Amino acid sequence: MTSEEELFANIDALLAEEPQLPPPPERARLREAAGITQARLAAALKTSTQTVKNWENGRSEPKSPRLEAYQRLLKGWAAKYPAHGTPAAPVAPVAPAAAPQPVTPETFTGPAAPEATAPASVEAPAAPAAPERPARPATSRRPAAKKATKPAVDPRFPHGPLAVLDGDGSAYGVDGIVLDCPATTIPELVEWTLRESGLGAPKLNRFGKDSDPLIVLTAAAAVKLGLPERLEGHEQRRSLRLPEDHPVVKQVAKAKWQLTQRGFGPWARIYRKAQGRERQCVQLAILSWDALDERSWPGVAEMEPADVARVLGVYAQRVITPRGSTAVSGLELMTALRPPTKPERDPETGNWISGHNPGSLGTEPMDPAPPEATAEHPVVVQSGWTGGFLNEEAYQWVRSVDSLTGAECALPFAVGLDLNTAFLAAAARLVVGLSAPDHFHAPKFNPKIPGSWLVDLSHIEVDPRLPSPFTPDGSRPTGPAWYQTHTVAYAQELGYDVHPIEAYLRRETGAYLDPWHDRLKAAYVDTLADLGVTKDLTDAEFLAAMERHKQADPAMAAVLAAIKATVKGGIGKLRERPQGRHYKEGERWPALQRPTWRPDIRAAVISKARVNMHRKLSNMAKMTGLYPLAVLSDCVVYPSPGASPLDFLPYAASGKPQPGGFRLGPTPGLAKLEGVQPMLWAVELMEKGLNPARHIKGGDAVLDEGE
């Protein structure tokens, strides 16, 4: 029988509990009813306005002594301003730790579901409507309008996609959120992230998966959690891992968590098998282990935690939650936007099963045709293939000094133009093969069929002042060679007959990269706009804005750099080569197990980008009589009478740019100024056989060529 002493002890425990506050929407209602601003309330409680905002939207809770003071204030307001009438929606908040209630592909119950009628390529909304949120009273102050690119807050992930954890337990998230993380070990951190943090991101396609939460560790946080501040070793930096006998690795295993095959390195994934439909996976990135490459994320690793969170948060919202290097993220984005499977009903049982998602690359890896592979690939080594390979690469061409005229040499400047994300522009509406290649002998050329064609283009006359459109080094072909469809189609466009000797073609085709292109284009344009470079600027204003855009906001400039690296790295990953000194020719390497190991798609993108470049070069010659000095990937150098592109680009009498040539602007495929040097400097480099486009930026700049 329960004693009186036990009952009183229970009552005392209840009295000792923290004071209970009304739901976050009610806190905001009471403050607004009293006519008090968030800033004034913050001043009274000696805290920040952002903290009050977090209290009122459920992102954080006050602690003593502010908790008691805040509760006393709210009770007083509640007595003065009771709620009248029935609220338009339930006022119960969605707590960060509430069990998620996602609408997943597996939960839809039949054709009547609204998603069932949408085409496979249509992207799902960033988040479902949240009926749990109450309608604000008419007198509430609306927040400032936000850009359309910022997704709605998903009630399952109220604190955004990621957080940066510092050594004092502060976890900095997006939009100024700061969470308190009590974890002192990696397993505790994983548990906190999944159960309490409210971190994560919704899927990008209705058939896809939600993004796992990302926790970025500062050096201080890594040390606090038992990790070494630096990860040292003699292997390549990206292959460094904690040894299996490290105490933290043992802690993870003892807590029944698992590491992926890549182990505990700069980017680590810690998981358990999914329970039902709920994934249990957390990704870690350790800043002091060089998780953020300086070339892709300039200056980010040295920023304060809140600024790191801002940079990575904007990238996550506009592109994808980082999952490794920008190259890895670029490849993962393709799959996230075109998931390989979708739910479909089994006609025999009536049950929902996993089926192929049309337009995707499927779930199984696919061997390329021998000419699309690399020399060490098993299909080449095992077959003894000696028939040559595709050589669809970006331009690396320098014009012969002998072809320069006296008038050109007399011009004072060499001006470099750089095409914005040229590979991304080439990916737009690009039809690629989705099925395995079939072999054909003496086929009739069809420019609508993606594939690889063996054809002789050596008879095509090429102006020596322009690079050949058929080879990366701009030299004229010397005989039959393998080309991607776009290259052969361009020969036909120039008016030449083409007669393929053989071909490897794909019967199933589609614009696989379209959603990838659309998302990255929007991210690029929106981020440039945040830096003051918008579409409505005149060409002169655009050049001025580009000159100062990196200084306008270093954090957003870093996001822009990461987006550009995501494009080039993602395309490069489609043909990832074997890594490590222990690899032997003819062995299969890990990248070959991915359905996204598709060198033919990479070749299609680069072929189209190079053809686009040549078309502009040719049109420029026709319109202006100007010929380039050099081309390197997406950068071209022209002799110019002035130090600005405005001095030589073609404009109509109305002042509008002439179509067909290079045009200035902030969207993919348009151009910006890369650099200016004296013409004499460029000629001297050309005489040495060096490429002026590689150095036009100054400071011995070298362009990233994509892989």
Side-chain angles (χ1 to χ4, degrees):
M1 189 172 175
T2 305
S3 67
E4 181 180 283
E5 184 177 344
E6 288 176 315
L7 291 174
F8 274 107
N10 291 342
I11 295 300
D12 288 341
L14 289 175
L15 290 172
E17 283 191 3
E18 287 188 344
Q20 297 300 303
L21 297 171
E26 178 65 3
R27 303 171 198 173
R29 185 195 72 80
L30 290 170
R31 177 185 54 74
E32 289 166 351
I36 302 298
T37 65
Q38 290 176 327
R40 188 174 171 193
L41 176 56
L45 292 173
K46 298 191 181 301
T47 188
S48 68
T49 304
Q50 182 62 53
T51 298
V52 172
K53 289 179 181 178
N54 291 346
W55 294 346
E56 291 187 357
N57 58 29
R59 288 174 173 167
S60 67
E61 295 293 324
K63 296 180 179 179
S64 294
R66 291 185 181 87
L67 174 61
E68 292 77 12
Y70 190 35
Q71 185 199 36
R72 180 178 179 183
L73 177 63
L74 293 175
K75 279 184 177 179
W77 281 343
K80 282 186 177 181
Y81 312 109
H84 296 294
T86 305
V91 294
V94 181
Q101 299 175 339
V103 180
T104 65
E106 294 82 359
T107 61
F108 77 41
T109 56
E115 296 161 339
T117 58
S121 62
V122 175
E123 206 176 287
E132 299 89 345
R133 291 184 176 275
R136 285 191 177 273
T139 57
S140 70
R141 295 173 177 81
R142 291 179 176 272
K146 295 180 180 177
K147 292 180 187 274
T149 55
K150 186 169 182 178
V153 174
D154 189 306
R156 297 169 298 147
F157 311 118
H159 296 155
L162 55 87
V164 179
L165 182 64
D166 207 355
D168 63 358
S170 297
Y172 297 85
V174 298
D175 297 331
I177 298 168
V178 183
L179 306 172
D180 291 320
C181 175
T184 57
T185 66
I186 291 294
E188 287 177 3
L189 174 62
V190 172
E191 293 282 356
W192 174 84
T193 303
L194 292 174
R195 310 282 174 254
E196 300 178 42
S197 71
L199 295 172
K203 57 197 174 186
L204 298 179
N205 180 288
R206 66 188 184 282
F207 300 139
K209 299 174 182 176
D210 295 331
S211 286
D212 298 317
L214 168 64
I215 301 293
V216 181
L217 304 180
T218 65
V223 171
K224 177 183 175 181
L225 295 167
L227 298 169
E229 183 174 342
R230 301 288 304 176
L231 193 58
E232 302 295 347
H234 302 292
E235 296 286 336
Q236 293 184 42
R237 171 65 57 186
R238 59 183 163 187
S239 67
L240 290 180
R241 303 288 181 265
L242 284 183
E244 291 186 9
D245 60 354
H246 190 279
V248 169
V249 177
K250 290 182 176 180
Q251 282 178 357
V252 170
K254 185 177 181 181
K256 303 291 192 251
W257 290 98
Q258 292 178 286
L259 290 162
T260 57
Q261 287 185 347
R262 63 184 179 183
F264 207 123
W267 291 87
R269 297 183 76 81
I270 302 176
Y271 72 98
R272 284 179 184 151
K273 288 185 178 180
Q275 293 182 344
R277 297 188 186 97
E278 281 189 53
R279 285 171 62 81
Q280 296 188 91
C281 183
V282 173
Q283 181 163 277
L284 304 180
I286 297 95
L287 290 177
S288 58
W289 293 6
D290 299 329
L292 298 181
D293 188 294
E294 174 67 19
R295 294 167 298 178
S296 301
W297 302 96
V300 177
E302 307 304 319
M303 292 180 179
E304 292 298 318
D307 293 322
V308 176
R310 180 182 172 223
V311 170
L312 297 180
V314 171
Y315 179 90
Q317 290 169 338
R318 293 181 178 176
V319 181
I320 193 171
T321 303
R323 301 184 183 186
S325 67
T326 47
V328 168
S329 296
L331 198 67
E332 292 282 347
L333 181 63
M334 295 178 194
T335 304
L337 293 168
R338 291 276 201 195
T341 61
K342 69 169 186 172
E344 60 182 31
R345 197 182 290 280
D346 187 328
E348 295 182 6
T349 66
N351 295 329
W352 287 97
I353 59 173
S354 180
H356 174 65
N357 183 21
S360 76
L361 297 181
T363 57
E364 296 300 319
M366 183 185 301
D367 275 342
E372 297 165 348
T374 55
E376 66 270 25
H377 195 285
V379 301
V380 173
V381 175
Q382 292 169 12
S383 67
W385 174 262
T386 57
F389 299 97
L390 280 176
N391 189 23
E392 299 288 12
E393 301 294 340
Y395 268 133
Q396 295 193 52
W397 171 80
V398 180
R399 184 172 155 193
S400 168
V401 176
D402 296 338
S403 69
L404 292 175
T405 66
E408 286 177 315
C409 292
L411 291 171
F413 296 103
V415 176
L417 289 177
D418 180 65
L419 295 182
N420 302 322
T421 56
F423 289 167
L424 185 62
R429 300 179 296 282
L430 176 68
V431 176
V432 300
L434 301 177
S435 55
D438 291 320
H439 192 196
F440 298 87
H441 290 279
K444 182 180 179 182
F445 178 67
N446 186 334
K448 294 183 179 179
I449 300 178
S452 304
W453 309 78
L454 180 63
V455 61
D456 190 347
L457 302 178
S458 62
H459 62 286
I460 298 178
E461 293 288 341
V462 178
D463 188 317
R465 295 170 294 179
L466 291 175
S468 165
F470 311 122
T471 60
D473 65 2
S475 61
R476 183 172 175 171
T478 57
W482 288 95
Y483 301 98
Q484 201 277 333
T485 298
H486 281 89
T487 304
V488 184
Y490 189 56
Q492 203 174 56
E493 180 185 322
L494 294 175
Y496 295 93
D497 289 333
V498 292
H499 302 285
I501 302 164
E502 59 180 304
Y504 285 91
L505 309 176
R506 287 169 166 79
R507 299 178 189 274
E508 185 184 341
T509 65
Y512 172 71
L513 292 173
D514 260 9
W516 186 81
H517 162 271
D518 293 349
R519 187 165 177 85
L520 284 167
K521 177 182 177 181
Y524 181 81
V525 171
D526 289 348
T527 306
L528 262 182
D530 288 339
L531 292 165
V533 186
T534 55
K535 295 180 183 179
D536 58 347
L537 300 177
T538 66
D539 283 0
E541 291 169 340
F542 167 75
L543 291 171
M546 285 300 296
E547 194 171 340
R548 60 177 181 267
H549 79 282
K550 290 184 180 179
Q551 288 73 43
D553 186 341
M556 295 308 293
V559 174
L560 187 69
I563 292 169
K564 292 191 286 187
T566 301
V567 172
K568 286 194 173 181
I571 297 299
K573 274 280 185 182
L574 291 169
R575 197 191 66 168
E576 184 176 357
R577 306 294 286 267
Q579 298 166 13
R581 63 176 183 265
H582 302 298
Y583 174 76
K584 294 181 181 178
E585 190 176 81
E587 292 179 348
R588 300 191 77 84
W589 58 95
L592 300 189
Q593 305 310 311
R594 298 191 313 249
T596 49
W597 196 85
R598 290 294 301 273
D600 56 301
I601 295 179
R602 173 188 177 275
V605 172
I606 297 176
S607 167
K608 186 179 174 185
R610 199 182 64 246
V611 164
N612 286 347
M613 172 65 86
H614 190 275
R615 191 180 287 113
K616 287 182 169 62
L617 296 173
S618 182
N619 288 338
M620 281 285 290
K622 293 171 186 174
M623 288 187 287
T624 67
L626 287 177
Y627 290 86
L629 302 176
V631 183
L632 179 66
S633 188
D634 46 14
C635 177
V636 56
V637 177
Y638 274 101
S640 172
S644 168
L646 300 176
D647 295 316
F648 67 90
L649 288 179
Y651 290 86
S654 64
K656 291 185 178 180
Q658 291 278 25
F662 294 102
R663 295 176 54 188
L664 299 174
T667 54
L670 298 187
K672 59 182 180 290
L673 176 64
E674 179 70 10
V676 183
Q677 297 289 345
M679 181 65 181
L680 181 60
W681 167 92
V683 173
E684 287 177 349
L685 284 182
M686 294 166 70
E687 287 174 339
K688 296 175 183 176
L690 301 176
N691 193 322
R694 189 179 294 276
H695 308 280
I696 191 72
K697 209 169 189 175
D700 265 340
V702 177
L703 297 180
D704 176 7
E705 293 164 40
E707 281 189 275

